[in-house]
Structure formats: C-alpha cells, structure tokens
C-alpha cells in the first residue's frame, strides 16, 4: 500500500455482460448492449447467477451449480474532481470511494457527475492533467484488458499476482468511463494447475479480490526489496524510485519493532542501471513496471538493536516498516511493509531457521474452497485455518501449484507458518529431459516467477519455492535448472528447488537447495510399506541419497470412508456430486445404515496408520520434514478422504489435536521395536528416543515411562536425557516390554512422557503411547478329532490326520475315525458331502479358491480407488465383532497392528450374493465399489457347520507369530466346541458361487 497515494476502491455494483461469442473482442460494447446486467465486485460470475448448468454431475469430483468460460465485460464510471476532498501534500491520508454503487447514466448513455470519485489536493503542482494512475485488479483469472474513456490501456495476465494496469494520460478531470474485459479461458495448456483444475479451485471467473484506482505521486517509490539478516540483526533494503526526482532526494527507512522500539536508516538516491535487476524487484504485480519510476536506487542497511526480535514458526514477531521518499524535509511518497527478521537456510541435510534447526511438519494446500470455488480474499478465513493447523502441530504448508492471495500471506506471517509457494504448473511439458517446453508456456512461467517473488518479497512466511508439481523426469530438465538459478538471483534469501515430487535422487545435475522426493514410492521404498508394525524402520533409504535437505512429498495419503453428512455444508456454488453415486450404491446394497460404523472403523484405522507413518519420518535422522497429503480431504481425483479434517477445516472426529501433537509436535518421543506382538513371558526391547526440534537449544531432563495392561501398571521407570541438541534424534534408553508367562492374551500399553525440567517451554506437553499384544504359547488340544489336507498344518497339528483331499471318505471318517472337524484349503465334492451331511468344516481359503476375491493390504486405500483402481489393496480396514470364534483374542473392534500379518496381502470374500451372512471379521471395502467383504464368517450348510477364514495361515512360517498361533487356536476351540452354532445359512448353490469346487483327483 502507498500510504499517501490518492486512491479509491471501485468495489460495488458494475454493469456486466457475458460475451461468449467474442462479439466485442476488440473494443468495449456500447452501453445499450449491457441491458440490465449488473454484477458485484468483488465476486465470481457463478456466485451471482451467471453461467449455464453443467451437462452432468461429475462422479470423481464436485460439480458447479453453473459455469461459464469465456469473456465478460465490466463497466463503471468514476469521477475525478479538482478541489474536493482535500488532503495536504505528503500526508498519509487516502481518499476512498464516495459512491460505491453503480454509475449514474443519462438516457443517452453518458455518465452524470456522480458515482465513485477521488479529489485532487488543492494547490498541487502536478495537476490532474499530468498525473499518473494505476488500476489494480485483484483475483482475476486469467487475462484482463482495460479501456479508459474508450482508449485502450493494456492487457495483463497472471494466475499468481494482481493485475496492475498503468493509465498514462488516460484519466481526466470529471467523469471517466472504465471498461474491463475479463477472459477466464485456458489461455495456455496448464489445465492441471490446482489454481483452476476442475478438481480443486475450478475454472472460475470474475474479479474476486476487488478493484482499486490510485493516483501516483509525481516523485514516487517504485519498488522495495527487503533482505532480512537475522545473524547480523539488520535489514538490507533496496528501493527504486523515479518520476519527478531531483538531486538530493533520499529514502528514509523506519522499522518499528514489536516492543515499540524504532530504528531508521537514510540513503541518497543514485542513478540505477536499468539493466541491473534488483533482487526481489521486477514487476510489482502482473503489470508492466512504471517505467518513469525506475531510474534511481537507494541501498539502506537498518540495524534493529542488540537484541532484535526474530520471526520464527513458534514466535512470529513482525516489524512495521515504512519507506519515505523525502526532499528538503518534505515527504513526497511513502510505502509500508510488514517484514520479519528471519532466514531459512540449508545447512547440509538440515534446515536452519535463524540458525536453529527446524523440522517441517507440513501439509499440502491444494487450493480447495468448497463454498466459492476460488481462493477467497478473507484474512479471517486464513487465520482460522492456520489456528487449526497449528493446533495439530503443523508449522509448514505447501501450496500445490498455486500462490495464495495477499490475505493468506498476512495471516501466515502472523501465525508463523513456513510456506512453500509454487508456479501454477503441473504438466509434462518438461519431460523427457530433451523436451523443449512450449515457448509461450515457458515464457509465462518465467514471468510468473518474477511476479511472485516481487509480490511476496516482504512476507517472512514465504521461505520455499518450487517450479510446480511433479514436473521433472527422473534425470531432471535443464530449463527447470535455469529457473532455479533465476529464482536464486532474484532473491537469495529463499530456498528453491526444481519441482516438487519428481526426479530421482541422487540429484546429479538437478538444481535445488533442497529436494522433495516421495517417502511413499521413491525407489527403493514401496507405498504398501510406508507404515508397518515394526517401528525400527525409517526412510533413510531415500533421505540419505542427497547431501541437501530432503522433505517427504505428499506423505501418507491414507483414505477413510466418505461422510455423506458433509453434503449439507455445500451451500455455495459447488455440489459434492461424487456422493450421489456413492449414496446410490450404498442404498441399493442396503449398507446406508452401516456408514457410521464404517466411518468410525476406517477413521480410527487411518489415524493409527498415519501416526506410524509420521513417526517413521521423525525417526529418520536425515529427513528435513514431510508434506502430508492432506490435513483436509481432497474433493477431486476420485474424492480422496485422506484428511484429518473435512474440506471445510472441520474435524471429522477421528482423532483429537492433542493426540496428533504426540507425533507431530516440535519435540516428539519415539519408540523403536522389531514387532508389536510377543509371547507371554517373553521380553522384548523397545528403544525410546527423542526427536527434538523445539525452541530449547539443548534439551535435558527425563523421560518417564509406564507399561500397563488393562489399567494395571506392569512396570515403570525413568530415562535420563542429557545434552540433546536441537535438530537431533537421539536414543533415551531401552525399555523391556512383556508380561508374565501365565498371563492371558492382552494388550500392553507403553506410555512415555517428558518429565524433566528442561528449558523447552513445550516440554510439559510431550507425550506418546504405543500398543503391544502378548499371547500365551499355544498347545493345540483335541487334535485327534481333526482331519486336514492343509500342508501348512503338518507341523502345527501333530495329532491330527494329515491326508490329501481325495483320501477323505465322508461316509467312514466321522464314524470310524472320530473326525469331528475337517480343515481344508480347497473345497472338493467329498468335503462338501461331509459338510451337508452334518459335518464341521474349517475352510482356509486362498485367493485361487474364491470367486470374486478382493485382495487386500493392511493399510488403507492409497488416495482413492477411482484414481488408483489397480493398487495393491482397495479396502479401508476391518470391523471385528465380539464373537466366541475369536475367543480371548484382544481387539477393540477395529484394525490395529496385531492384525497386520494376519490380514496383509490376503483375499477378502465377497458376500454380496449372501446378504444373510454377518461377518465375524468384516473388511470394509472402498466406498466406490462397496462390496460386502469378510475375512472370517460362519454359516450352516445343509445339516453341517462351516467356518471360513482367509487370514494368513498358508505356510508354516505364518504360525510362528504369536498372534497367528493364538488366534488359530481360538478358532479351533470354537469349531470343535459346543458354541459353534451359526445362525445364518447358505445353500449349496450359494457356497459354490462363492468358493470354487475342485475335483478330488487333482490332489492325489
């Protein structure tokens, strides 16, 4: 803001006309063509009823109530009046609009002396006829063209910065006609950029931030570049100025500290080499720079005291800075900034904020605005989202292929968010390495880079920059390298990289101050292994590949069930049409009433998986941070329910912020172990460590731990932490986890908390907890009553009859050999006969033996099924009934790590054709497909009783795990006992439609 510019807002009602056929592409329409059309500025076309209803609702994202892509015309009148609304020359007063309504027009179409107006200072030497004017249009996508009094003023285009039009010699005293043409068509092939893809901010149109007109001072400041230097306690400033300058003109910079202290510096203006770029300058926004005001330069160094106020993510202290252009004691022009004294730097593999190590606890902002369909210009909106993000421990946000409006940055500065901005770019134009990107695309992106850096120069929250999302081939691209170097030249105080997500490490000749590979799938890592019960793993396999800071790209991406109740929140221009097909499917299958249970089970599963994936990143000594995808649900690309919050920044009730802080705070307690299950009487080592990125330079104190079961303390103690430096992950000590040999199967909980008197202000909030499960050693009884053909059971059931299926005689074995239970991996005719005749059968079915089997993995769906339908596993977790078949197996009804090896990589049985069957262990399918799935169920078939399991009991090694051996024993006891009385029934035909019938001669 120029503090003494004469300026006014042109917001309010404008005349408006859509021009879908480009009838008026070269000049404004005549007044009569507008008819009765009006529109409010700021605002979008769709919000105000303009556009057509879309032809269909989208199944993979939201759908607008109406939409329009093309040109549209805005028209208004503003008044310039000499001698009214006086202000003393050089004062900081700004004259606003007197009338913010529409223009007053006579019958012949001419403007009356009414409407918006701005006065002229009495006695000003420059006069209105010689004044320069600047029109700023905020929130316009993609191009704007301006006419003043019928004369063409120019064209601007940007997706990242305000459109600034210089009106030289076009504004006159009295009534002025202003016409603006906005065209929101996809001017360049950049349709996947999140600023306007259909999955995120949509192809919106309008002027959503507002319009303002400013009369520039005759001698004026053109640009300010601020380079904070916290190590030296000063700001380095470069100010360009021009216009009617004179010898002796100078610039005075004044910085007011948060405590009220004032510091200043003065420097004379000297001629500037027009060819010499000033870091952080260039275009002030998207318009051409004021050529009359770029000829002189002042360089200032302003020290801010012996104990300067630093800006950090924990303490975001801001200075109020004013730059005044002075002559002989008079102020000719002023402009203000609100910088922070901070520097984010790369130090080897670490990131240092003002010399102190910082770990980026980040999330991805995908430009999602569910009410408007465009980025809002409401600071309160962003203040709320940052308060929420901070309450969950996040200190970093990556803008995915976009740069946010000014209110976002003001809120981020005040909240202490470390922000990564990006070019509006997600394309394959820079692939492969030899590819020549389209010249117009490349030129636009370079211009956007310059505009972004100029626009955001003073914002301390802007610390990282990337050229866009997933751009580079494995071996990088020379042009992306050039853009990195250009960004560094423009402003060396920010860190920059060639792209987010793509390109292999080691980086070879790829340019970047840091890199953002995926911890999900960058070789040699695998998506399905990002979280596992063994917590002695980390992501060093990728993080170690570069000597520079490495940040995890789009981390985790675990989905939970869709929540139909969110539909009522969509009261704006968007409708969640992805829900329509989901709700239709659930209703048709009779599953609508089950949705609350699905939400609870999958939400808990998501939170548990996310906790381990985040802790695994914190255990990685060479990792500099992660960018979680996402803290919120993503509405598009199939609808990705990966957030802790919904798209409106509201909690989904799956986990409290305090529990997220356990694994996402500045300092986190971690646990490393080889497994989560053990035999009763066994002792297992669990290593407790501390990842410290809090404010204390050195952390000293104690970690108190407690091992309990069912609320009863089994053991407790303390571990001493001495001299843990910030930025380190260090072991505090080893705890023995276990219980007595005579214990029943039970969950054990290891809790840890910071109990010391360290200097960390947040130390009292540091805590964490992990579950283990102990199982008695199993000696299977009554095995003489079991006949089995399963090879894996030879070393498990010693007293059982082990024979091929073909040897089993249903007429002889039960009566003559005392067989009360047949255990098979394949269904053959003789086993079926035994079942129908009244026998008991335990079927351990593998994928090859099932019709319509759905393969699963333990972890939830990655992103969503519609976008990644061929991923390993398309299910979302388990619902475990309290059922006698499970005996004393400890569980809370939902997926947890004791189920990992039993479920991971196993098939689920489809029960769609048998609605009467209620699973004992239910697998929740993804909400798009919504199959009724089971891993364990029972049924009566004929006169017999059938128990079916697809759990991992396929090899002898499977039975070596405590949980697997124990649960198998519980199922055996149930299948042999009196409580095995299934309520539901299957016909033979239903069973044969589910399980393949094999010929017995195939297995001789």
């Amino acid at each position: 803001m120029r503090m003494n510019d004469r300026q006014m807002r042109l917001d309010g009602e404008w005349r408006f006309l859509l021009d879908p056929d480009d009838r008026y592409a070269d000049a404004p329409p005549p007044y009569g063509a507008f008819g009765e059309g009006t529109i409010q500025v700021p605002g979008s076309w769709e919000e105000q009823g303009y556009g057509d209803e879309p032809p269909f609702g989208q199944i993979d994202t939201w759908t607008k109530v109406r939409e329009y892509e093309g040109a549209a015309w805005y028209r208004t009148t503003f008044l310039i009046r000499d001698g009214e609304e006086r202000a003393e020359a050089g004062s900081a007063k700004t004259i606003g609009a007197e009338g913010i309504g529409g223009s007053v027009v006579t019958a012949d179409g001419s403007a009356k002396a009414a409407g918006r107006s701005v006065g002229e200072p009495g006695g000003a030497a420059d006069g209105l006829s010689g004044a320069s004017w600047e029109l700023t249009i905020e929130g316009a996508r993609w191009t704007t063209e301006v006419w003043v009094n019928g004369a063409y003023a120019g064209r601007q285009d940007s997706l990242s910065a305000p459109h600034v039009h210089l009106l030289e010699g076009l504004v006159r005293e009295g009534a002025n006609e202003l016409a603006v043409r906005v065209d929101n068509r996809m001017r360049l092939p950049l349709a996947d950029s999140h600023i306007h893809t259909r999955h995120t901010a949509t192809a919106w149109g309008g002027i959503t931030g507002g319009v303002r007109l400013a009369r520039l001072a005759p001698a004026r400041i053109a640009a300010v570049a601020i380079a904070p230097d916290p190590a030296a306690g000063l700001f380095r400033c470069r100010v360009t100025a021009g216009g009617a300058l004179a010898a002796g003109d100078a610039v005075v910079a004044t910085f007011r500290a948060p405590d009220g202290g004032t510091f200043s510096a003065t420097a004379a203006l000297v001629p500037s080499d027009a060819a010499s770029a000033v870091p952080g300058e260039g275009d002030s926004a998207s318009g051409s720079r004021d050529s009359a005001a770029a000829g002189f330069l002042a360089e200032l160094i302003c020290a801010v005291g012996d104990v300067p106020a630093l800006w950090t993510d924990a303490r975001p202290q801001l200075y109020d800075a004013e730059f005044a252009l002075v002559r002989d004691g008079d102020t000719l022009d002023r402009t203000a900034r609100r910088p922070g004294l901070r520097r984010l730097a790369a130090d080897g593999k670490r990131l240092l904020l003002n010399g102190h190590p910082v770990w980026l606890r980040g999330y991805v902002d995908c430009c999602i605005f569910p009410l408007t369909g465009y980025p809002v210009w409401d600071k309160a909106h962003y203040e709320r989202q940052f308060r929420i993000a901070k309450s969950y421990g996040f200190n970093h946000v990556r803008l995915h292929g976009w740069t946010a409006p000014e209110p976002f940055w003001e809120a981020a500065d005040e909240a202490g968010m470390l922000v990564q901005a990006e070019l509006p770019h997600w394309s394959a134009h820079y692939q492969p390495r030899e590819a020549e990107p389209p010249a117009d695309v490349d030129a636009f992106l370079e211009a956007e880079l310059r505009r972004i850096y100029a626009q955001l120069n003073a914002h301390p929250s802007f610390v990282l920059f990337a050229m866009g999302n997933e751009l580079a081939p494995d071996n990088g691209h020379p042009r992306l390298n050039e853009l990195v170097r250009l960004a560094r030249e423009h402003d060396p105080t920010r860190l920059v990289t060639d792209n987010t997500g793509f390109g292999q490490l080691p980086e070879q000749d790829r340019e970047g101050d840091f890199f953002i590979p995926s911890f999900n799938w960058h070789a040699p890592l695998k998506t399905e292994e990002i979280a596992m019960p063994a917590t002695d793993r980390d992501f060093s396999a990728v993080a170690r590949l570069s000597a520079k800071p490495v940040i995890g790209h789009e981390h985790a991406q675990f989905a939970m069930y869709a929540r139909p109740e969110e539909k009522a929140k969509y009261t704006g221009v968007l409708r969640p049409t992805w829900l329509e097909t989901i709700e239709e499917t659930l209703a048709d299958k009779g599953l609508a009433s089950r949705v609350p249970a699905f939400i609870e089970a999958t939400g808990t599963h998501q939170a548990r998986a996310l906790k381990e994936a985040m802790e695994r990143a914190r255990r990685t000594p060479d990792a500099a941070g992660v960018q979680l995808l996402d803290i919120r649900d993503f509405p598009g690309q199939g609808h990705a329910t990966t957030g802790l919050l919904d798209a409106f920044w509201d909690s989904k009730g799956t986990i409290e912020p305090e529990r997220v802080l356990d694994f996402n705070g500045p300092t986190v307690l971690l646990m490393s172990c080889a497994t989560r299950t053990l035999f009763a009487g066994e002792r297992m080592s669990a290593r407790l460590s501390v990842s410290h990125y809090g404010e204390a330079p050195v952390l000293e104190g104690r970690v108190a731990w407690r091992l309990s079961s069912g609320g009863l303390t089994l053991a407790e103690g303390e571990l001493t932490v001495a001299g843990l430096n910030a930025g380190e992950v260090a072991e505090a000590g080893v705890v023995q986890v276990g219980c007595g040999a005579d214990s029943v199967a039970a969950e054990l909980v290891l809790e840890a908390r910071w109990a010391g008197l360290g200097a960390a202000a947040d130390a009292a909030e540091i805590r964490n907890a992990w579950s283990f499960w102990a199982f008695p050693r199993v000696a299977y009884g009554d095995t003489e009553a079991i006949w089995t053909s399963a090879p894996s059971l030879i070393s498990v059931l010693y007293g059982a009859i082990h024979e091929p299926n073909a040897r089993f005689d249903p007429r002889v074995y039960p009566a003559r050999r005392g067989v009360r239970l047949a255990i098979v991996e394949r269904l053959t005719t003789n086993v079926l006969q035994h079942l129908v005749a009244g026998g008991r059968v335990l079927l351990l079915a593998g994928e090859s033996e099932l019709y319509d089997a759905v393969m699963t993995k333990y972890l939830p769906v990655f992103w969503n099924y519609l976008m990644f339908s061929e991923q390993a596993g398309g299910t979302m977790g388990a619902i475990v009934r309290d059922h006698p078949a499970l005996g004393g197996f400890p569980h809370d009804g939902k997926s947890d790590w004791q189920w990992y090896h039993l479920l991971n990589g196993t098939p689920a049985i489809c029960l769609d054709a048998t609605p009467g069957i209620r699973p004992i262990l239910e697998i929740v399918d993804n909400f798009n497909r919504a199959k009724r799935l089971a891993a364990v169920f029972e049924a009566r078939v004929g006169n017999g009783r059938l128990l079916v399991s697809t759990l991992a009991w396929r090899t002898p090694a499977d039975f070596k795990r405590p949980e697997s051996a124990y649960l198998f024993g519980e199922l055996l006891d149930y299948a042999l006992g009196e409580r095995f009385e299934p309520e539901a029934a299957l016909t033979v035909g239903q069973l044969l439609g589910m399980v393949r019938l094999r010929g017995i001669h195939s297995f001789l």
Side-chain angles (χ1 to χ4, degrees):
M1 170 183 176
R2 288 189 177 87
M3 292 165 53
N4 73 330
D5 282 351
R6 312 281 308 169
Q7 70 172 291
M8 62 176 169
R9 300 293 307 189
L10 299 183
D11 298 344
E13 187 177 83
W14 291 52
R15 310 298 294 175
F16 184 72
L17 174 67
L18 295 179
D19 187 16
D21 300 322
D22 291 326
R23 292 182 59 192
Y24 306 105
D26 299 322
Y31 180 80
F34 285 84
E36 299 299 319
T38 62
I39 198 167
Q40 288 290 322
V41 173
S44 74
W45 304 336
E46 300 91 339
E47 286 175 302
Q48 301 182 62
Y50 291 100
D52 299 320
E53 182 180 347
F56 53 81
Q58 300 179 106
I59 67 170
D60 61 343
T61 187
W62 46 28
T63 304
K64 276 190 168 178
V65 174
R66 61 192 69 87
E67 54 193 6
Y68 172 79
E69 289 191 68
W73 285 90
Y74 293 73
R75 177 172 173 165
T76 194
T77 300
F78 62 90
L79 287 174
I80 303 298
R81 298 187 294 183
D82 194 2
E84 297 187 16
E85 299 293 338
R86 296 175 182 272
E88 294 298 321
S91 75
K93 185 176 180 182
T94 299
I95 307 300
E98 289 183 350
I100 62 171
S103 306
V104 178
V105 181
T106 62
D108 64 0
S110 63
K112 292 169 59 178
R116 305 168 176 83
S117 64
V118 63
E120 169 68 13
D126 57 307
L128 288 170
S129 60
S132 294
W133 300 82
E134 186 177 81
L135 183 74
T136 301
I137 301 172
E138 296 176 314
R141 174 188 164 272
W142 181 331
T143 61
T144 60
E145 293 178 275
V146 171
W147 285 257
V148 179
N149 300 319
Y152 187 62
R155 177 178 186 270
Q156 301 299 335
D157 66 342
S158 178
L159 297 172
S160 306
H163 294 199
V164 179
H165 297 263
L166 294 174
L167 312 181
E168 296 280 6
L170 300 179
V171 177
R172 63 196 179 202
E173 184 176 348
N176 289 264
E177 290 288 341
L178 173 63
V180 178
R181 182 177 187 264
V182 179
D183 193 331
N184 75 335
R185 281 172 287 203
M186 201 65 61
R187 190 174 76 76
L188 295 169
L190 293 170
D192 287 327
S193 304
H194 275 11
I195 188 62
H196 54 204
T197 178
R198 67 184 178 91
H199 299 284
T200 53
T202 75
W204 52 276
I207 299 175
T208 61
V211 181
R212 66 180 185 270
L213 177 69
R215 183 177 62 79
L216 304 179
R220 54 193 173 271
I221 295 171
V224 174
I226 302 174
D229 187 346
L234 53 83
F235 291 94
R236 304 179 192 276
C237 311
R238 304 187 75 184
V239 180
T240 55
L245 296 172
D249 289 351
V251 173
V252 177
T254 303
F255 287 80
R256 183 179 296 276
D259 64 1
T262 300
F263 308 90
S264 63
T266 302
L269 284 163
V270 297
S272 171
D273 182 358
S276 176
V278 178
E281 292 183 4
D283 296 350
S284 62
S286 68
S288 300
R289 198 167 93 183
D290 184 358
S291 58
F296 289 82
L297 168 68
E299 296 185 300
L300 306 95
I301 297 177
C302 186
V304 288
D306 295 334
V307 186
L310 302 182
W311 187 96
T312 69
D313 57 327
R315 301 177 188 273
Q317 301 180 93
L318 296 168
Y319 286 79
D320 291 309
E322 178 184 294
F323 298 86
L325 175 60
V326 298
R327 176 186 299 165
D328 297 331
D330 294 328
T331 299
L332 307 179
D333 194 19
R334 295 179 184 173
T335 189
R337 300 290 188 272
R338 203 161 180 235
L341 194 59
R342 68 92 188 90
R343 180 69 181 269
L344 184 69
D347 177 34
K349 300 179 71 63
R350 298 189 305 171
L351 292 172
L352 301 181
L353 182 58
N354 304 332
H356 187 80
V358 63
W359 208 84
L360 297 184
R361 309 182 304 277
Y363 64 93
V364 182
D365 188 321
C366 293
C367 200
I368 297 166
F369 296 87
L371 294 179
T372 61
Y374 63 80
V376 301
W377 289 73
D378 178 11
K379 183 179 177 182
H381 173 91
Y382 299 110
E383 289 173 333
R384 174 179 179 261
Q385 76 178 49
F386 293 143
R387 281 196 304 271
I388 294 170
K390 285 272 184 169
S391 74
Y392 285 85
F394 293 95
N395 67 349
H396 166 54
V397 55
R398 170 208 167 198
L399 301 179
H400 184 303
W402 71 296
T403 295
E406 178 65 16
F408 169 99
W409 295 100
E410 293 174 1
D413 292 346
E414 294 171 6
M417 292 300 290
L418 302 165
V419 185
Q420 175 180 316
E422 292 184 357
L423 290 175
H425 186 200
W426 185 8
S427 78
H429 296 318
Y430 295 80
Q431 301 175 25
R433 183 181 175 94
E434 298 76 22
E436 288 289 337
D440 52 356
V441 170
D442 189 73
F444 172 77
L445 294 173
E446 179 176 332
E448 286 282 82
L449 185 154
R450 297 177 185 273
R451 287 188 279 260
I452 291 169
Y453 267 65
Q455 184 74 14
L456 303 183
N457 167 263
H459 289 291
S461 56
F462 172 38
V463 293
L464 302 173
F465 189 73
M467 302 307 147
N469 180 67
E470 297 178 354
L471 308 176
D474 285 350
N475 53 353
H477 194 283
R479 177 55 178 156
L480 294 177
N481 290 344
E482 291 178 6
L483 292 174
V484 170
R485 291 191 287 268
L486 174 64
R488 288 197 192 114
E489 293 168 4
H490 219 59
D491 187 346
T493 70
R494 269 88 188 191
L495 300 181
V496 62
T497 192
D498 62 346
N499 85 121
T500 301
F502 276 9
Q504 288 288 307
L505 297 180
E507 63 268 22
Q508 306 299 334
D509 70 345
R510 288 175 56 205
E511 284 279 2
D513 301 317
F514 64 101
F515 294 101
I516 315 177
S518 173
F519 291 158
N520 292 342
W521 39 257
H522 187 292
L525 300 176
K526 299 179 180 179
T527 301
E528 56 269 25
E529 296 179 355
I530 186 175
M532 301 179 72
T535 63
D536 54 359
R537 298 176 176 227
D538 60 24
F539 298 116
S540 292
V542 169
R544 66 191 291 265
L545 297 177
S546 176
K548 297 179 179 180
V550 171
I551 302 167
H553 171 57
E554 296 183 355
H555 197 56
Q557 303 186 50
F558 301 132
M560 63 172 282
Y561 219 76
R563 301 168 71 239
E565 66 263 31
E566 292 175 15
K567 183 166 55 176
K569 296 184 178 183
Y570 284 86
T571 59
V573 300
L574 294 162
R575 296 292 178 265
T577 49
W578 69 78
L579 273 174
E580 294 175 2
T581 56
I582 295 169
E583 289 185 303
E584 180 184 27
T585 298
L586 294 173
D588 181 70
K589 291 194 169 188
L591 295 175
S593 64
R594 299 291 318 285
V595 169
F598 294 160
I599 290 171
E600 180 183 3
T602 62
T604 300
H605 185 34
Q606 177 195 57
R608 288 169 173 169
L610 178 62
K611 179 178 187 291
E612 170 52 24
M614 294 291 277
E615 289 182 8
R616 183 173 178 181
R618 290 298 289 263
R619 291 193 300 268
T620 307
D622 290 336
V626 294
Q627 296 169 345
L628 180 70
L629 188 60
D630 186 358
I631 190 176
R632 288 190 295 164
D633 286 349
F634 184 91
Q637 298 180 3
H639 186 51
T641 50
T642 56
L644 300 169
L645 313 172
D646 66 18
F648 297 85
W649 288 93
D650 294 328
S651 171
K652 296 194 287 188
T654 57
I655 186 170
E656 295 301 316
E658 294 80 8
R659 299 290 67 79
V660 178
L661 283 170
D662 292 348
F663 55 84
N664 197 43
T667 298
V668 171
L669 300 178
L670 302 167
M671 185 274 298
S672 176
C673 67
T675 182
R676 295 292 192 95
T677 61
L678 63 157
F679 291 110
E682 186 178 18
R683 290 290 182 268
M684 182 179 66
S685 295
R687 299 180 181 277
L688 295 180
S689 58
V690 184
S691 171
H692 175 48
Y693 287 87
E695 293 185 86
V698 179
L699 196 63
E700 296 188 3
R702 303 183 308 278
V703 174
W705 62 269
R706 174 177 179 257
L707 182 68
S708 64
S709 181
L712 178 66
T713 298
L714 303 180
E716 59 186 338
E718 289 188 346
L719 303 171
T720 300
V721 176
L724 176 60
N725 295 319
E728 292 183 347
V729 181
E731 183 177 312
V734 178
V735 172
Q736 296 299 313
V737 175
C739 60
D742 57 351
S743 299
V744 298
E747 178 185 13
L748 312 179
V749 178
L750 176 61
E751 300 170 275
R753 62 182 179 85
W754 184 257
L757 301 176
D762 54 0
E765 303 300 323
I766 301 170
R767 65 169 300 280
N768 212 336
W770 307 269
S771 289
F772 299 81
W773 293 265
F775 300 92
R777 298 181 184 274
V778 178
Y780 303 117
D782 207 10
T783 56
E784 294 81 2
I786 298 173
W787 177 93
T788 179
S789 60
S792 61
L793 297 181
I794 294 175
S795 60
V796 177
L797 301 178
Y798 285 1
I801 302 170
H802 297 275
E803 294 178 340
N805 272 39
R807 298 286 300 274
F808 185 78
D809 188 340
R811 296 168 298 180
V812 174
Y813 277 46
R816 298 184 184 178
R817 303 190 65 175
V819 173
R820 291 191 291 115
L821 176 65
I823 305 177
V824 296
E825 294 179 343
R826 301 172 178 87
L827 185 64
T828 52
T829 306
N830 52 351
V831 173
L832 179 60
Q833 175 64 71
H834 171 66
L835 175 63
V836 172
R840 301 184 183 204
V841 173
L842 171 56
L843 175 60
L844 306 178
E847 178 187 11
S848 63
E849 304 309 307
L850 298 171
Y851 292 109
D852 199 20
V854 173
M855 292 305 296
T856 73
K857 66 174 183 291
Y858 173 80
L859 294 179
V861 167
F862 175 83
W863 198 232
N864 63 72
Y865 179 73
L866 285 189
M867 188 167 185
F868 294 102
S869 60
E870 297 183 4
Q871 63 180 281
T875 55
M876 311 190 85
I879 296 178
V880 188
R881 284 174 58 196
D882 284 326
H883 191 280
L886 304 180
F889 192 86
H891 66 86
D892 66 355
K894 308 173 188 71
S895 296
D896 213 338
W897 295 110
Q898 82 274 34
W899 290 105
Y900 180 89
H901 292 292
L902 285 160
L903 288 169
N904 193 49
T906 62
I909 303 168
C910 181
L911 300 179
D912 281 349
T914 56
I917 299 298
R918 185 184 180 197
I920 298 170
L921 179 52
E922 180 176 13
I923 303 300
V924 182
D925 197 16
N926 67 77
F927 47 76
N928 298 113
R929 188 172 55 192
K931 289 178 176 288
R932 294 182 64 251
L933 302 175
V936 180
F937 75 90
E938 63 179 353
R940 288 182 289 104
V941 181
N943 294 320
R945 284 161 280 188
L946 174 67
L947 183 61
V948 181
S949 169
T950 61
L951 298 177
W953 292 312
R954 309 294 298 170
T955 69
D958 292 331
F959 293 89
K960 310 305 181 186
R961 299 187 184 95
E963 68 275 24
S964 300
Y966 180 83
L967 182 57
F968 186 73
E970 298 297 271
L971 257 65
L972 276 185
D973 289 346
Y974 175 73
L976 287 165
E978 296 181 357
R979 301 185 70 184
F980 186 18
E981 291 290 346
E983 296 179 357
L986 288 176
T987 66
V988 170
Q990 287 175 317
L991 177 59
L992 296 183
M994 182 188 302
V995 180
R996 297 180 186 276
L997 184 65
R998 300 295 190 178
I1000 60 174
H1001 297 294
S1002 301
F1003 305 100
L1004 291 174

